[in-house]
Amino acid sequence: MIANVGFGLLFIAFLTCLYVIITAIYGMRTRAQAFIDSARLAAIVNFGLITLAVLGLWSLMLREQYQYTYVFRVINHEMPLILKITALWGGQAGSLLFWVWLLSGVTALSFLWSRHTQLAELTPWVIILTMGVQIFFLFMVLFFENPFERIWITTSGTVVTSFIQPAGTYPVFPTKGMGLNPLLRHFGMVLHPPLLYLGFVTFLVPFAYAAASLITGRLEGAWLHLTRRWALLGWLFLSAGLVLGSRWSYDVLGWGGYWGWDPVEIAALMPWLTSTAFLHSVVVQERRDLFKRWNYVLILATFCLVILGTFLTRTGVLSSVHAFAESSVGPIFFVLIGLLFCLSLGLLLWRWNALQGSGEIRSFFSRESFFLFNNIIFLCITLICLTGVIFPILSQTLTGQKVTVGPEWYKATTGPLFALLLLLMGVVPLTIWGASTAKRLWPRLWKLAAVSLVAPLAFFVLGVRSWGALIAAELLTLAVVILVVDFFTVSRARSRNNGERWLAAAWHLIRQNHSRYGGYLVHLGVVCMAVGIVGMEFFQTQTQVSLNEGQDLTFAGYTLRFERLLQLQEQNSDRLLTEAQIDVTSAEGRTLQIVPRIDTYQTQQTSVTVPGVWSSAAGDLYVVLVEIDPQPVFRVFFNPLVNWLWGGAIILALGGLLAFWPATRSTREQAS
């Protein structure tokens, strides 16, 4: 009964989307505001319909109704409640429904948020575009990946899945399900997919407003001001999702790293790159009426890359531990990608000549010039990533042989570009808008660069001989020094002019300019993350050894003694735990026991490695139990400074929230 109601609600939601589009078109053509308001209200109701359908599927999962295909594949009675809830996005059909739910929720919220907007001319087109995308996903859920399908069996014993009972079949009522993929039973999977999906779907709002602006010819910056916060919100969600995915990879896959340049990782990284460039580029249009074309291109490309990445992840085109199995949704996804790409390109070509801003770049050393370099570098990195992802598909299509590119290729091609971004991030606060010269920039830059040399010189004295690491140390230190000096200089000037104490002046500065100083905090977070990345890329060490009980290993300043190997059957579960107890002593004499293990899920005949980790500010001692027969084999890593990566991500998120936080009325009045 619940499944029938859930499917019915989704079908009604599909019809509601059609109603919204038709009503919006009619209201736009007849200039009848009542019809446009009706379309907006129906879009909000549509979110309620899909919410009820999602609750219905959750009900089936929590009640362990294994006669439904999706429930059977992702649920078993041994799973804790939190995993039964998160299993909604643990499989193809459920995650697509979850995607539609978030998409409808973001769309409804955008209509509520912008109901008093002055851009009334754009509203019908925004409604049409957002609901058009929603129709595609609902169509896929209803007719390709229906989460309410049941399991049936023929008289000959063949198992089939279908929502409607096929002729000559009987219903099946399994007593136990397969359960969630063991790789997904990690805290990161509780938040990583929802945050990533939220980031993806949120970019639909600025995409729709940008496209509506091009369609109607309303090319002034009002749409940009309205959607900038949506873009920032999407960027925040996407950033958090990427970091949590990296943490999941670090904790679960047991390879000692956090980013493997996996095709699906890159598919999620590409819209992050273009959206980051967009958030920087928006500032230039608002301040100097420049980069109109850049901003349209970047935000349209961001959502197109979102859909492309979703296509690559969900159709089995890419081989990846992150990807879903092969699916029949490929053709419909390909149609959506083609429509979005053609729409975006066509609108840009149509309005290209009208997108010339009134401002101009007057100096090579002006702030707007440096923002232009920033855009170009981000776009180059995106194109490199796109090439690396698409090339294997093209090679297999054209030659029948799949040729892939590995992490070393990505590092060699993008590494210098990321270094240039760090340099720009450091130098930009020293630049000014409008006319500027090297003579004005150079005196401040060389002094601060000289101060920043303290870090690479100290590392050199300590024995670091990697030029890449020394250059990175200089760039990172320079970025921090310039941020600190700039903030201290401005706050001290305010303190002197207003007669305030320095701390009060600094606090008022932050309150009155959330966007600027939130951006500073984001950049500080990026620096901290980069410290962790540099430590891992240049100084990670590893070894692999076989150890007998009681045998020692000295590695990276630690002494590891393998004490014993234990096998435990978890109570009320099919999970068999194979634990290696290892006593670790640091160079300072501190002791700790770590327990790397292998979790074997006997029902699914799948094993997951769980590393034993000793974390400190200096880095992680990371031990993986690789195999146990004929004797235990361990892979041991020392990951220097890796915790700076996770700490920097928290700082980045706080900076993003500060930039997103709405200004108070008094703050807006002071700013104006």
Side-chain angles (χ1 to χ4, degrees):
M1 179 63 181
I2 292 177
N4 294 338
V5 172
F7 183 84
L9 288 168
L10 291 177
F11 191 75
I12 295 171
F14 181 81
L15 296 178
T16 303
C17 288
L18 290 175
Y19 167 82
V20 170
I21 292 174
I22 294 170
T23 306
I25 292 173
Y26 182 80
M28 178 176 57
R29 290 179 63 86
T30 61
R31 299 181 182 275
Q33 185 62 40
F35 282 90
I36 296 174
D37 291 341
S38 175
R40 183 191 290 113
L41 180 61
I44 296 170
V45 170
N46 190 61
F47 170 60
L49 294 171
I50 299 175
T51 299
L52 292 175
V54 170
L55 292 175
L57 181 58
W58 255 326
S59 174
L60 295 176
M61 294 163 65
L62 295 178
R63 292 167 57 208
E64 300 178 4
Q65 300 295 297
Y66 298 126
Q67 65 268 34
Y68 296 97
T69 307
Y70 188 75
V71 178
F72 174 77
R73 289 174 178 171
V74 299
I75 297 293
N76 64 34
H77 68 277
E78 299 155 353
M79 289 167 52
L81 177 62
I82 186 63
L83 288 182
K84 289 180 180 178
I85 294 173
T86 59
L88 175 65
W89 49 86
Q92 178 79 286
S95 66
L96 276 175
L97 176 59
F98 183 60
W99 176 287
V100 175
W101 182 42
L102 295 179
L103 190 67
S104 63
V106 166
T107 303
L109 183 60
S110 72
F111 293 153
L112 289 171
W113 196 349
S114 59
R115 64 185 183 276
H116 301 308
T117 178
Q118 300 300 314
L119 295 175
E121 189 177 348
L122 271 60
T123 301
W125 284 109
V126 171
I127 293 173
I128 293 166
L129 291 166
T130 53
M131 300 309 289
V133 172
Q134 199 165 310
I135 274 183
F136 266 93
F137 281 92
L138 275 170
F139 185 80
M140 283 187 282
V141 170
L142 285 169
F143 303 110
F144 290 89
E145 292 289 346
N146 182 359
F148 296 108
E149 284 185 343
R150 285 197 57 172
I151 305 173
W152 313 90
I153 191 168
T154 65
T155 53
S156 61
T158 303
V159 176
V160 295
T161 61
S162 175
F163 179 71
I164 300 173
Q165 183 175 5
T169 63
Y170 302 91
V172 177
F173 296 90
T175 58
K176 188 175 181 181
M178 295 174 61
L180 194 63
N181 184 336
L183 288 173
L184 305 181
R185 303 184 187 194
H186 179 265
F187 80 93
M189 287 299 107
V190 174
L191 294 176
H192 163 60
L195 289 173
L196 206 62
Y197 293 175
L198 275 171
F200 285 164
V201 301
T202 301
F203 283 116
L204 174 60
V205 177
F207 169 85
Y209 273 97
S213 169
L214 291 169
I215 292 170
T216 59
R218 291 286 303 273
L219 305 178
E220 66 274 11
W223 75 271
L224 204 65
H225 178 74
L226 181 67
T227 59
R228 179 182 179 182
R229 287 169 62 78
W230 280 103
L232 178 57
L233 187 63
W235 180 87
L236 269 172
F237 285 135
L238 191 52
S239 300
L242 285 168
V243 171
L244 281 173
S246 296
R247 183 71 200 202
W248 168 80
S249 179
Y250 185 75
D251 286 347
V252 172
L253 299 186
W255 61 289
Y258 58 92
W259 186 267
W261 291 101
D262 180 279
V264 174
E265 292 175 338
I266 298 169
L269 176 66
M270 289 189 291
W272 184 89
L273 291 168
T274 53
S275 61
T276 304
F278 172 76
L279 290 173
H280 286 84
S281 188
V282 164
V283 178
V284 183
Q285 182 172 341
E286 291 179 342
R287 293 292 298 266
R288 308 293 296 176
D289 195 28
L290 281 166
F291 296 1
K292 276 188 177 182
R293 291 170 176 169
W294 271 107
N295 289 328
Y296 278 105
V297 169
L298 288 170
I299 200 59
L300 294 176
T302 295
F303 190 68
C304 287
L305 288 171
V306 162
I307 300 301
L308 176 63
T310 309
F311 164 77
L312 295 174
T313 305
R314 295 179 176 278
T315 56
V317 172
L318 297 177
S319 298
S320 166
V321 69
H322 306 270
F324 290 89
E326 288 190 21
S327 171
S328 57
V329 300
I332 190 69
F333 254 123
F334 197 74
V335 169
L336 179 58
I337 292 169
L339 287 175
L340 290 175
F341 177 79
C342 291
L343 174 68
S344 301
L345 183 60
L347 290 174
L348 285 170
L349 293 175
W350 180 30
R351 299 292 190 184
W352 191 256
N353 292 334
L355 294 178
Q356 183 66 45
S358 60
E360 61 180 16
I361 298 178
R362 299 179 181 178
S363 169
F364 182 85
F365 296 98
S366 64
R367 181 165 293 188
E368 49 265 48
S369 181
F370 278 77
F371 273 103
L372 176 61
F373 301 148
N374 179 81
N375 281 1
I376 292 172
I377 295 171
F378 269 115
L379 190 59
C380 287
I381 296 173
T382 304
L383 290 175
I384 289 171
C385 292
L386 183 61
T387 301
V389 170
I390 297 297
F391 184 75
I393 302 172
L394 292 178
S395 67
Q396 188 173 32
T397 302
L398 298 176
T399 67
Q401 185 175 1
K402 195 170 187 177
V403 180
T404 60
V405 294
E408 294 307 317
W409 181 82
Y410 286 107
K411 292 176 185 178
T413 52
T414 64
L417 295 175
F418 279 118
L420 284 175
L421 284 177
L422 286 176
L423 177 61
L424 285 176
M425 187 177 72
V427 173
V428 163
L430 299 179
T431 61
I432 62 173
W433 298 104
S436 185
T437 62
K439 187 176 180 180
R440 178 178 293 177
L441 175 64
W442 180 245
R444 294 183 66 193
L445 179 58
W446 81 260
K447 292 175 184 176
L448 296 175
V451 172
S452 304
L453 281 173
V454 171
L457 288 175
F459 288 130
F460 187 83
V461 170
L462 292 173
V464 176
R465 294 296 183 267
S466 168
W467 283 105
L470 294 174
I471 291 171
E474 167 64 16
L475 293 176
L476 294 173
T477 308
L478 176 65
V480 173
V481 168
I482 290 176
L483 285 178
V484 171
V485 168
D486 180 79
F487 180 70
F488 181 77
T489 301
V490 175
S491 57
R492 187 177 61 178
R494 178 189 172 96
S495 174
R496 188 187 308 115
N497 295 336
N498 295 355
E500 299 174 324
R501 292 184 177 181
W502 180 81
L503 284 177
W507 172 247
H508 289 146
L509 272 178
I510 295 172
R511 287 190 61 197
Q512 292 175 13
N513 202 332
H514 291 167
S515 179
R516 177 179 179 179
Y517 294 109
Y520 275 27
L521 197 57
V522 167
H523 286 178
L524 182 60
V526 169
V527 169
C528 292
M529 294 177 72
V531 170
I533 293 170
V534 169
M536 288 284 288
E537 293 299 327
F538 289 99
F539 304 112
Q540 184 189 51
T541 55
Q542 61 176 293
T543 187
Q544 183 165 311
V545 295
S546 298
L547 295 177
N548 295 314
E549 291 186 2
Q551 191 172 356
D552 290 350
L553 168 68
T554 301
F555 175 77
Y558 294 89
T559 300
L560 297 83
R561 174 178 286 269
F562 173 38
E563 294 292 345
R564 64 184 62 85
L565 191 71
L566 298 176
Q567 284 195 324
L568 307 169
Q569 180 67 51
E570 195 172 49
Q571 255 188 338
N572 301 320
S573 172
D574 70 336
R575 184 168 65 162
L576 177 67
L577 309 180
T578 304
E579 299 180 345
Q581 296 181 354
I582 300 176
D583 292 336
V584 183
T585 304
S586 69
E588 298 81 19
R590 292 182 296 140
T591 60
L592 186 74
Q593 186 176 79
I594 60 176
V595 185
R597 69 176 196 264
I598 297 175
D599 293 353
T600 303
Y601 294 83
Q602 295 163 308
T603 300
Q604 296 171 308
Q605 296 183 338
T606 302
S607 295
V608 176
T609 58
V610 180
V613 181
W614 184 349
S615 293
S616 67
D620 282 357
L621 179 68
Y622 183 103
V623 183
V624 181
L625 177 59
V626 179
E627 57 184 77
I628 58 175
D629 291 321
Q631 68 179 116
V633 177
F634 299 92
R635 186 177 296 123
V636 186
F637 299 84
F638 183 68
N639 298 329
L641 305 175
V642 67
N643 292 305
W644 285 70
L645 175 61
W646 318 124
I650 295 173
I651 296 173
L652 181 145
L654 292 175
L657 289 173
L658 179 61
F660 180 79
W661 198 261
T664 61
R665 178 177 298 179
S666 61
T667 300
R668 288 193 296 268
E669 291 171 354
Q670 291 173 5
S672 60

